[in-house]
Amino acid sequence: MNKFFIEIFDSQSRSIDNESNKNVIFNEKNLKISFSHNKFCYHKPSKNNNYFVLSSISLRDRKRIIKKYDFINIEKSDSEILLDLYLKFGSKIFKIFGSSFFFFYYNFDKKNALVARDHIGINSIYYTMKNDSLFISSSLNDLKKNCGKNLKINYTILKKFLNLDAFSKDQTFFEDILKLPPSNVLEYKNNSISIFNYPKFKDLTLSDSNTSQIEGLKKKLKKAIIRKEELKEDKVGFLFSGGIDSSTILSFFSKYDKQHRTLYAYSAKFSHIEDSLKKKIDESEFQSEVLNTLAVEDRSYETEKLSTISNLDFYLDLIGQPFFFPNLYLSHEAFKKAKNDGVTKVFNGCDGDTVVSHGFEYYEELFLKLKWFKLYKQIDKLSKNVNLSKRSIFKRTVLDLLFYEKKLYFSAKNKHKQILSAPIHSNSIEVESLIADYYGVEEVYPFYNIDLMNYCINVKPDLKINKYPRYILREAIKGVVPEKIRKRIDKANLTHGVIYSFLNKDKDVIDKHLNNPHQDLKEIFDVLDLKNSWNNLLNDPNKYSNFSNVPSQIFAYVVVNRWLEKESLR
């Protein structure tokens, strides 16, 4: 995780002693910079230019830039190269990056600054104004320490969170601290802030051939998974569920990596779940399909004694604000095991099913464009392979999904873009990366490679769903991923594990918080109604494992109530 703290102050103000004084690498004129990661590169002011640049780019992007712009001096550092590009092209440079990046620029002559966040939000960027100074940091907690005890809670966001509108692109739970959304730039001039975005996705012209697009996806997957950044790693870890996405990453890495390093698969087991429900959550049979055929160290772990609520104080201290991640305990245990194995890079298949879409946007496009006969034929073809009636498929994939953020999308491509721009993606990274970093682990997200995302957006919509959802992915991984997984159409329902934890590990904690709501909660949330829902869940837990928001509401409430308790003591 790239950690940094930046302070831009006027001549009358200086920062108080805080975390920003650690690892300070520049503290002159109106600028103070600290960071603690060897991935950062910086450029200090010189006789030739009066700029400071702090940056981080991938090896592949550096190569891409040098190839694209022949005026670049390849002997220069990353920060010097990016400075040259920025001075020549301005913010247009950010759309060329294919991986996560960070760029901060300060002009000492004009006393203005600029910071850019990558397309997906791999690098967190929080900021606040105080005493005519601007503070920018990768850490919400560092900004909280800097602001002292005068922070105001953002009750608008708090209320939305309790109602499961849990993800904001630019707000935190403090009125005074904001975050820069992915694919956005913060510009600081004349002591004022302006935010603008740069293009996140590109429209590409792909070959119309099905075979060509399938092969193209396979190549993009290989490039996203096999990276130069891991060349020096003797050990590589994988969050491995047994689903299509995690199986694709592990299988591709095993097949196409030429370094022959030791691979570790971190998989959750749910042996404690009763037999009638176990098949809906435990994926051991699919995990075995990969683990029994590849040279991989099996680091599976049982989850009976694990839960997120039972470790809530640890998470809140680390994250610094409420979070919606009921299954965080799963990756937490994996990172803990990775540290014990000496693994510092762990691949995460997060949101593969959003990037390589299920294809339902195509059904909606056909429906809205009144191509109903074609839609009927598509649904009929799908129903024969997924064991669902045509009526059920139509309801689930068209009617239930038609309005996205209260808007209709007549283009499958445009809706896919919008879904990939939702803040849920960056929010989950912001949370999970903190847990990984705590154990000295860096996560790698192949499906968030922007080149792969652009390719998937531009694939023909009828290739995304054809006989099966995610048809193009299933074809692209043929011969690499075991057939049992490649043709898999179900997905584990992890809510069964959450409810088991509620009943067998977290019940006393949940009861305590429901019976002792913080005063602030009483004014904005119906606690009594949630207590009734909790009692109903206790009487019939299986009823709430599918298509119910109650487990999520209980989790969100407990997280907020405990956070408010801790904030009252701060």
Side-chain angles (χ1 to χ4, degrees):
M1 182 180 177
N2 292 342
K3 295 181 180 179
F4 61 88
F5 195 101
I6 299 168
E7 179 183 356
I8 303 169
F9 45 85
D10 64 23
S11 57
Q12 305 299 317
S13 63
R14 301 290 295 190
S15 67
I16 60 174
D17 288 335
N18 54 41
E19 288 294 310
S20 69
N21 292 314
K22 293 182 179 180
N23 306 305
V24 173
I25 53 95
F26 188 85
N27 191 8
E28 298 176 24
K29 302 178 182 178
N30 299 80
L31 184 66
K32 181 177 178 182
I33 303 276
S34 61
F35 68 82
S36 59
H37 202 292
N38 59 11
K39 283 196 170 184
F40 276 122
C41 172
Y42 63 92
H43 165 78
K44 291 183 177 181
S46 64
K47 292 180 180 179
N48 299 324
N49 60 62
N50 204 17
Y51 309 106
F52 185 97
V53 173
L54 181 67
S55 69
S56 173
I57 60 172
S58 68
L59 294 171
R60 186 171 288 171
D61 277 339
R62 178 185 170 92
K63 224 173 149 185
R64 185 199 305 247
I65 290 167
I66 290 171
K67 184 177 180 180
K68 184 176 178 69
Y69 301 104
D70 55 11
F71 66 86
I72 293 293
N73 182 348
I74 63 173
E75 301 299 322
K76 287 188 174 183
S77 69
D78 291 348
S79 286
E80 289 171 325
I81 288 174
L82 293 185
L83 176 60
D84 289 345
L85 284 175
Y86 178 72
L87 293 177
K88 189 173 180 68
F89 299 112
S91 59
K92 292 178 181 178
I93 68 168
F94 304 129
K95 65 182 180 181
I96 71 174
F97 297 117
S99 305
S100 67
F101 71 90
F102 175 84
F103 179 78
F104 169 79
Y105 154 95
Y106 188 77
N107 184 325
F108 286 96
D109 295 329
K110 296 182 179 180
K111 294 184 179 178
N112 59 30
L114 177 143
V115 61
R117 192 174 183 193
D118 60 90
H119 307 76
I120 301 302
I122 303 296
N123 295 300
S124 300
I125 300 178
Y126 300 95
Y127 64 96
T128 188
M129 293 283 292
K130 179 185 175 187
N131 298 331
D132 296 321
S133 293
L134 172 64
F135 299 89
I136 308 171
S137 180
S138 57
S139 167
L140 176 69
N141 278 335
D142 282 355
L143 287 184
K144 284 172 65 176
K145 291 172 186 174
N146 190 73
C147 291
K149 296 183 179 181
N150 299 319
L151 285 172
K152 296 177 182 177
I153 291 174
N154 188 331
Y155 285 99
T156 301
I157 291 297
L158 198 67
K159 189 173 182 178
K160 284 184 176 182
F161 183 87
L162 289 166
N163 289 299
L164 303 185
D165 183 2
F167 308 107
S168 171
K169 65 177 183 178
D170 57 1
Q171 303 285 309
T172 72
F173 286 82
F174 300 97
E175 291 183 3
D176 318 80
I177 300 176
L178 300 172
K179 62 180 176 180
L180 186 64
S183 194
N184 270 254
V185 176
L186 180 154
E187 198 167 38
Y188 182 64
K189 288 181 179 178
N190 302 319
N191 292 329
S192 65
I193 291 171
S194 60
I195 307 290
F196 61 91
N197 64 354
Y198 59 86
K200 184 169 189 166
F201 302 120
K202 296 177 184 176
D203 289 327
L204 307 175
T205 302
L206 306 181
S207 165
D208 200 47
S209 159
N210 288 1
T211 302
S212 176
Q213 290 198 10
I214 292 167
E215 188 59 33
L217 176 58
K218 186 172 184 178
K219 288 177 181 177
K220 292 294 183 186
L221 283 168
K222 285 169 65 176
K223 279 191 174 183
I225 295 167
I226 308 299
R227 315 183 317 154
K228 287 187 176 179
E229 283 82 354
E230 280 70 61
L231 282 177
K232 296 181 180 179
E233 303 293 329
D234 295 325
K235 303 175 178 180
V236 180
F238 300 83
L239 298 185
F240 178 58
S241 66
I244 292 179
D245 299 318
S246 63
S247 298
T248 294
I249 294 172
L250 180 51
S251 298
F252 267 63
F253 198 98
S254 176
K255 182 176 178 67
Y256 297 112
D257 174 53
K258 306 302 180 185
Q259 302 298 114
H260 304 295
R261 52 201 122 195
T262 308
L263 310 183
Y264 295 81
Y266 300 100
S267 308
K269 303 285 188 185
F270 297 89
S271 303
H272 57 285
I273 300 293
E274 61 180 274
D275 290 342
S276 61
L277 300 175
K278 191 177 295 183
K279 195 169 183 180
K280 297 179 180 180
I281 181 173
D282 192 81
E283 300 180 274
S284 298
E285 64 172 302
F286 297 104
Q287 293 162 4
S288 298
E289 289 290 313
V290 172
L291 298 177
N292 291 343
T293 56
L294 302 181
V296 179
E297 298 291 328
D298 181 0
R299 288 292 189 268
S300 57
Y301 52 91
E302 290 292 345
T303 57
E304 182 177 7
K305 297 180 180 180
L306 305 175
S307 79
T308 302
I309 286 179
S310 64
N311 212 11
L312 191 53
D313 280 3
F314 167 79
Y315 296 126
L316 287 173
D317 288 343
L318 198 61
I319 297 164
Q321 64 180 350
F323 61 95
F324 187 79
F325 212 136
N327 297 307
L328 188 57
Y329 69 96
L330 297 177
S331 47
H332 182 182
E333 186 67 14
F335 298 142
K336 191 189 300 185
K337 287 184 172 295
K339 180 181 180 180
N340 292 336
D341 288 330
V343 173
T344 58
K345 290 281 188 80
V346 173
F347 279 70
N348 187 332
C350 181
D351 282 320
D353 58 351
T354 309
V355 175
V356 191
S357 165
H358 286 267
F360 301 142
E361 303 91 355
Y362 178 53
Y363 285 4
E364 296 163 47
E365 178 183 302
L366 293 176
F367 179 75
L368 292 171
K369 290 184 176 179
L370 308 182
K371 296 181 180 180
W372 294 347
F373 181 66
K374 191 170 186 179
L375 173 61
Y376 176 83
K377 288 174 68 177
Q378 287 285 331
I379 290 177
D380 181 57
K381 194 162 36 174
L382 181 66
S383 70
K384 294 172 182 175
N385 290 291
V386 299
N387 198 29
L388 283 173
S389 70
K390 291 186 282 291
R391 182 188 295 271
S392 178
I393 291 173
F394 178 69
K395 181 180 183 301
R396 292 188 192 185
T397 66
V398 179
L399 297 182
D400 291 351
L401 303 178
L402 204 53
F403 287 92
Y404 183 75
E405 295 183 342
K406 301 178 181 179
K407 186 176 177 181
L408 288 172
Y409 288 86
F410 285 77
S411 162
K413 180 195 281 191
N414 288 341
K415 183 167 185 182
H416 195 180
K417 287 180 181 178
Q418 197 61 33
I419 291 170
L420 287 173
S421 299
I424 186 174
H425 308 294
S426 57
N427 273 258
S428 63
I429 294 171
E430 289 161 9
V431 170
E432 201 167 35
S433 63
L434 288 168
I435 312 301
D437 185 67
Y438 180 84
Y439 290 101
V441 169
E442 179 185 343
E443 287 192 283
V444 180
Y445 294 93
F447 286 105
Y448 284 145
N449 176 283
I450 197 66
D451 292 334
L452 175 60
M453 295 176 80
N454 278 326
Y455 191 89
C456 292
I457 288 168
N458 286 279
V459 161
K460 292 191 298 184
D462 59 343
L463 254 187
K464 296 175 185 177
I465 186 164
N466 181 6
K467 300 180 184 176
Y468 291 96
R470 310 184 76 196
Y471 176 79
I472 187 171
L473 177 65
R474 296 175 194 273
E475 292 299 299
I477 63 178
K478 188 182 291 186
V480 181
V481 174
E483 282 294 283
K484 187 172 183 176
I485 297 173
R486 190 181 76 86
K487 292 185 175 180
R488 183 180 177 185
I489 56 172
D490 62 339
K491 193 171 184 178
N493 181 357
L494 296 178
T495 306
H496 291 294
V498 171
I499 290 178
Y500 179 91
S501 298
F502 280 4
L503 301 180
N504 296 279
K505 192 170 181 63
D506 304 326
K507 183 178 181 298
D508 290 345
V509 176
I510 294 171
D511 284 334
K512 174 193 165 190
H513 283 287
L514 285 170
N515 291 324
N516 297 279
H518 191 276
Q519 184 60 40
D520 292 353
L521 276 187
K522 295 177 183 178
E523 300 173 12
I524 61 173
F525 187 72
D526 189 344
V527 181
L528 182 59
D529 184 63
L530 187 62
K531 283 181 74 172
N532 291 334
S533 296
W534 169 238
N535 288 328
N536 291 336
L537 186 151
L538 292 175
N539 292 327
D540 187 5
N542 290 344
K543 178 183 176 181
Y544 294 89
S545 296
N546 296 292
F547 310 113
S548 171
N549 287 330
V550 170
S552 295
Q553 289 174 329
I554 291 168
F555 179 84
Y557 169 81
V558 172
V559 169
V560 166
N561 201 56
R562 179 55 185 153
W563 177 71
L564 287 171
E565 288 177 354
K566 290 172 73 66
E567 283 298 305
S568 299
L569 300 173
R570 197 167 68 86

